[in-house]
Amino acid sequence: MSPLPPGSYRPPNDRWGSFTKLVARLPEGSVAVVDRTVARFHPTLIPAIEARRPRAIIQLVGGERAKSLISLQKVLAGGITLPRSGTLVAVGGGTVGDVATVAAHLLKRGVRLLQVPTTLLAAVDSSLGGKGAVDLTVRGRVVKNPAGVFHYADETWLCPELYATLSDAQVREGSIEAWKMVASLDGSLFKRYVRTPPTLEKLVKDARGLKEDVCSKDPYEHQGLRRVLNFGHTFGHVLESLSRFKLSHGDAVGLGILWALDVGRHLGITPEPVAHEVERALARGPGVLGRDRAAELAHRAPLKDVVALLDADKKAGANGELRMVLLTAVGTAEVVDVMPKTWRALWPAWTRGARP
């Protein structure tokens, strides 16, 4: 049987362990893309990669600014000598992983990709599912992820020691993304989380299992099944952009979930008790930021900028409707086309930090 084309769908090949031991699996002559901050916090990381005689080690400054065409050019130039049979390894959070995924897809029309997520957010979400994207600037505003690829990793290394240096805020935003998947995909697991908060390792394994179950049925989003994973992302991306990315992705998704619950209640799709239960659990569990933070960003934003960001969102419909994920029960969600008049009716309350 011939091998799969580079980047084709493949089930996750997760390996847990210390980076210094797992790095022995890295083929010699690979190219590494490493988050500069991670390398500083973990001084043995670069020497461990260097021992594998890489063709290049490209260090990027993580964060949303890393997801640029400039960063992509830097990675492509550093990997120019990599053969098609070569390996590109991404060591960093979701933004570094995104750029490396796009680069792995483009270099020699596809090389082997190995993911090493160093943030909880990347471990539970972005390092799984094959997606990679870069941001573009449209009319002076940064639009998230309009140019991207599907390129599945051959392996993912999950190294607990890399998570030990994460800040409380970084743990929170990764936890929000994991709880998001549980709240929209598994009601019984959600109730167990409410009773007994999960350990970090269990949180990662549960979230990756839930996401993979969805991705395996719709690996390239041809059937629309993966849209359920966008719970909280529609307005989360708007708030993230309005903050000029001072608001982290995970925190933005958390606030986007609160607004999605409001939209669902307004349309009669999300029952009132469900909205209350999920909002309360997200505040007590991962610690979603309060509505005041969303109001601060919404209040000072011209409505035309919000409309432009929503129109540029890849999940928007041709007639301005938003394809939003709304809960019908805890653990169950559906994708609904939401007309502009719906969210506009809620906007005044959102700008006051109120629950409509």
Side-chain angles (χ1 to χ4, degrees):
M1 183 181 295
S2 61
L4 292 170
S8 296
Y9 169 75
R10 60 204 73 207
N13 184 10
D14 291 353
R15 297 182 181 275
W16 286 78
S18 70
F19 182 82
T20 52
K21 290 184 178 179
L22 288 172
V23 76
R25 300 181 56 80
L26 183 65
E28 292 189 354
S30 299
V31 169
V33 184
V34 180
D35 186 305
R36 192 182 302 276
T37 301
V38 174
R40 189 173 70 248
F41 278 143
H42 301 274
T44 62
L45 194 147
I46 294 293
I49 297 174
E50 288 175 336
R52 303 302 299 161
R53 297 163 62 180
R55 292 172 186 268
I57 298 177
I58 303 150
Q59 294 194 42
L60 299 178
V61 177
E64 199 66 29
R65 284 183 296 178
K67 290 177 57 172
S68 67
L69 294 177
I70 294 173
S71 295
L72 179 60
Q73 157 71 17
K74 184 176 181 180
V75 177
L76 292 174
I80 197 81
T81 64
L82 194 67
R84 194 176 188 191
S85 59
T87 297
L88 184 72
V89 56
V91 185
T95 56
V96 169
D98 261 4
V99 174
T101 298
V102 176
H105 191 74
L106 297 177
L107 281 168
K108 307 300 164 66
R109 297 187 176 87
V111 298
R112 184 173 181 265
L113 175 65
L114 200 158
Q115 291 270 16
V116 187
T118 61
T119 65
L120 184 58
L121 181 59
V124 303
D125 185 28
S126 61
S127 63
L128 181 73
K131 284 186 177 182
V134 293
D135 300 339
L136 298 177
T137 301
V138 179
R139 292 191 287 274
R141 290 284 188 184
V142 176
V143 180
K144 283 180 62 70
N145 305 330
V149 302
F150 283 99
H151 195 90
Y152 281 82
D154 280 63
E155 290 186 16
T156 301
W157 299 349
L158 298 156
C159 309
E161 79 273 16
L162 298 179
Y163 311 139
T165 54
L166 296 177
S167 67
D168 290 344
Q170 288 173 311
V171 172
R172 179 182 68 241
E173 68 168 333
S175 298
I176 289 170
E177 193 73 39
W179 277 71
K180 172 214 76 176
M181 281 185 262
V182 176
S184 57
L185 295 171
D186 193 327
S188 61
L189 184 59
F190 184 86
K191 292 184 184 302
R192 291 201 295 274
Y193 274 27
V194 171
R195 290 196 302 268
T196 307
T199 63
L200 184 144
E201 184 170 331
K202 178 171 173 51
L203 194 75
V204 172
K205 289 181 176 178
D206 286 344
R208 289 179 69 84
L210 288 170
K211 184 171 182 179
E212 166 55 17
D213 186 56
V214 175
C215 292
S216 65
K217 298 169 185 172
D218 189 15
Y220 304 109
E221 289 194 344
H222 289 160
Q223 303 174 56
L225 299 178
R226 285 179 60 152
R227 289 176 184 164
V228 72
L229 298 173
N230 293 324
F231 183 42
H233 281 62
T234 299
F235 283 104
H237 282 172
V238 169
L239 292 168
E240 197 174 357
S241 294
L242 292 177
S243 76
R244 299 193 181 277
F245 300 98
K246 293 178 181 177
L247 181 69
S248 71
H249 176 70
D251 283 334
V253 168
L255 295 175
I257 288 173
L258 302 186
W259 284 11
L261 293 172
D262 294 340
V263 171
R265 287 171 46 248
H266 184 77
L267 293 175
I269 293 170
T270 305
E272 187 84 24
V274 169
H276 278 289
E277 180 182 2
V278 172
E279 182 166 352
R280 185 167 55 249
L282 292 178
R284 293 177 179 174
V288 169
L289 298 181
R291 288 175 176 268
D292 287 349
R293 180 67 177 111
E296 177 188 344
L297 296 169
H299 181 72
R300 65 187 188 208
L303 201 57
K304 63 181 178 59
D305 287 357
V306 176
V307 172
L309 288 167
L310 289 170
D311 286 345
D313 193 296
K314 60 185 182 297
K315 295 178 284 297
N319 298 315
E321 70 273 16
L322 305 177
R323 295 204 173 100
M324 292 188 66
V325 180
L326 304 177
L327 292 190
T328 56
V330 176
T332 306
E334 64 180 46
V335 179
V336 178
D337 284 346
V338 177
M339 298 307 296
K341 65 179 182 180
T342 300
W343 68 264
R344 283 174 178 267
L346 303 175
W347 191 256
W350 287 344
T351 61
R352 299 193 307 271
R355 193 170 186 265

